[in-house]
Amino acid sequence: MRTSNQSSIYLIALGAFSLGMASYVTAGLIPMIEDSFAVSVSAAAQLVTAFTLAYGLGSPICVALTPANRQRAGLLLTLGLFVIANAASALVENFTALMAWRAIAGTGAGVYLAMGIGASAAVSTPENRGKAIAIIMGGMASGVVLGVPLSLLIAEQTGWESAFWLIAMLGLIAFIGLFLKLPTLPAAPVSSLMQKLTILGDGHVLIILTVSLLAAIASLGMYTFIAPLMTDPAYGAVRSVTPYLWVWGIGGVLGSFLAGPLVDRLKGPNVTLAIMLILAVSLFALPLAARLNTWLVMLPIATWGAVGWALQVPQNNELIRTRQAHGDGNLAVALNESALYVGSAIGAAAGGFILLLQLPIWTLAVCAGGIAALGALLQIVNLRRQPTLAAQTQAEPCS
């Protein structure tokens, strides 16, 4: 990658870092926001819902409506919107306004990540595309693992508003850098909204999205219940789950960065299959390792975090590779991100239902591992379909 293009990728990753902070920091700010606006915990928690729903559902629509010849402007516009929304969140005087600005921030974040991944692929050579996407995903993972605790620490000392100011400041730095450094991006093929929506009829894309959905149900869904597992007297019975959350997050950062070279050297779908198999094994191993030793369980937790975050590197790379020529590569990535958020919500709801049935806590990990294994089986189907798809493509007459 040329130096100027590489600097653009790192600047996009800085924006993704601030996005990772914004995605998860609000949950930690709920007690402070609750006191500041005199609202209930359940009401304050809806700030997270507003952000995630706007991110998961609004971003594909906005990406689909972005003009094909305005990719650079669209990226800068959505990052600017994200910065403004976070700054406005720190300045609001009522809870309703805060809710609205968190929804706007979620929309800007979702569109920015999808277009940022597309931009990083556009300024990279095909053989370095996996590494470029890994840098972006690694930036987001670092924002969750490192940025969220930092912003919460600052918020505890200076008020919840300072967390949003920090996010806005980092986003602004990325915006200024990209405004100066990001080259003009190649225009995507012009297509109507209806033509873009034909992506939903692409069987290959649907399988990729379904694998991401199943992975999110398994990985992010189980993450919601790591505390009940580790504090259960039959397993870890630990006093604090914080070290285990750190191990999961650090594994995620390493996995995100290390996945890039693997994707560039190997076939992305093969990497996806390996990741899904490892994810299934690590989730199945959780309760057994927790029962044996509270330190031993850190190994499957770190592995689970690493492959859970790493998965999106080959998935997004494959989506861009197959759909870029159709002009809807960014839309495919946005749909993939939506699948993650929807999968996380389904996983959390399903886990809550399992606990409601008063089933043993190990059932959560086994069910999560089973869902990951189902995703691996679906990926095997995907791999078997690819030679047929390639042959069909070669047989099609040129127009």
Side-chain angles (χ1 to χ4, degrees), residues 56-136:
L57 302 179
S59 57
I61 297 173
C62 294
V63 169
L65 295 174
T66 302
N69 59 345
R70 293 288 185 270
Q71 299 300 304
R72 183 181 187 277
L75 178 67
L76 292 172
L77 177 63
T78 53
L79 180 56
L81 180 65
F82 174 76
V83 170
I84 292 170
N86 281 285
S89 296
L91 294 171
V92 295
E93 297 182 354
N94 64 78
F95 184 75
T96 302
L98 179 58
M99 182 81 74
W101 282 114
R102 295 322 296 154
I104 294 171
T107 302
V111 178
Y112 171 76
L113 184 63
M115 299 192 72
I117 290 173
S120 68
V123 300
S124 305
T125 57
E127 60 270 19
N128 288 318
R129 188 168 53 203
K131 178 182 177 182
I133 296 174
I135 291 172
I136 308 303

Side-chain angles (χ1 to χ4, degrees), residues 182-208:
L182 184 65
T184 301
L185 300 175
V190 178
S191 57
S192 67
L193 179 59
M194 292 304 297
Q195 288 174 320
K196 289 180 179 179
L197 291 179
T198 58
I199 188 176
L200 298 176
D202 187 327
H204 181 55
V205 169
L206 290 180
I207 289 180
I208 294 173

Side-chain angles (χ1 to χ4, degrees), residues 110-356:
V111 178
Y112 171 76
L113 184 63
M115 299 192 72
I117 290 173
S120 68
V123 300
S124 305
T125 57
E127 60 270 19
N128 288 318
R129 188 168 53 203
K131 178 182 177 182
I133 296 174
I135 291 172
I136 308 303
M137 299 308 299
M140 184 175 179
S142 301
V144 175
V145 176
L146 304 176
V148 169
L150 173 63
S151 58
L152 290 178
L153 181 64
I154 295 173
E156 289 172 359
Q157 302 299 319
T158 59
W160 61 267
E161 298 92 343
S162 59
F164 292 128
W165 280 121
L166 177 60
I167 293 168
M169 181 187 71
L170 292 173
L172 180 61
I173 293 172
F175 178 89
I176 294 172
L178 287 170
F179 182 81
L180 297 174
K181 293 285 188 179
L182 184 65
T184 301
L185 300 175
V190 178
S191 57
S192 67
L193 179 59
M194 292 304 297
Q195 288 174 320
K196 289 180 179 179
L197 291 179
T198 58
I199 188 176
L200 298 176
D202 187 327
H204 181 55
V205 169
L206 290 180
I207 289 180
I208 294 173
L209 297 179
T210 304
V211 169
S212 289
L213 177 70
L214 293 173
I217 293 173
S219 180
L220 299 178
M222 186 61 210
Y223 179 76
T224 306
F225 301 99
I226 190 172
L229 175 68
M230 293 309 302
T231 56
D232 190 286
Y235 298 98
V238 299
R239 294 183 179 181
S240 173
V241 298
T242 302
Y244 302 92
L245 298 179
W246 272 100
V247 167
W248 185 88
I250 292 171
V253 174
L254 294 175
S256 297
F257 283 116
L258 294 176
L262 288 176
V263 172
D264 289 332
R265 292 177 184 176
L266 307 173
K267 290 181 64 177
N270 289 335
V271 177
T272 295
L273 176 59
I275 285 174
M276 293 301 295
L277 290 172
I278 296 171
L279 177 61
V281 171
S282 61
L283 290 171
F284 282 134
L286 271 179
L288 176 60
R291 184 181 289 274
L292 291 174
N293 188 281
T294 54
W295 293 106
L296 179 63
V297 74
M298 286 191 172
L299 179 59
I301 287 176
T303 305
W304 158 30
V307 294
W309 279 93
L311 177 68
Q312 297 317 307
V313 178
Q315 292 288 82
N316 286 323
N317 183 66
E318 182 68 8
L319 287 169
I320 290 174
R321 186 187 69 82
T322 57
R323 298 303 304 186
Q324 201 168 36
H326 299 274
D328 52 16
N330 290 346
L331 176 57
V333 172
L335 289 171
N336 191 54
E337 297 301 315
S338 295
L340 297 181
Y341 275 83
V342 172
S344 176
I346 293 174
F353 181 71
I354 289 173
L355 293 182
L356 187 63

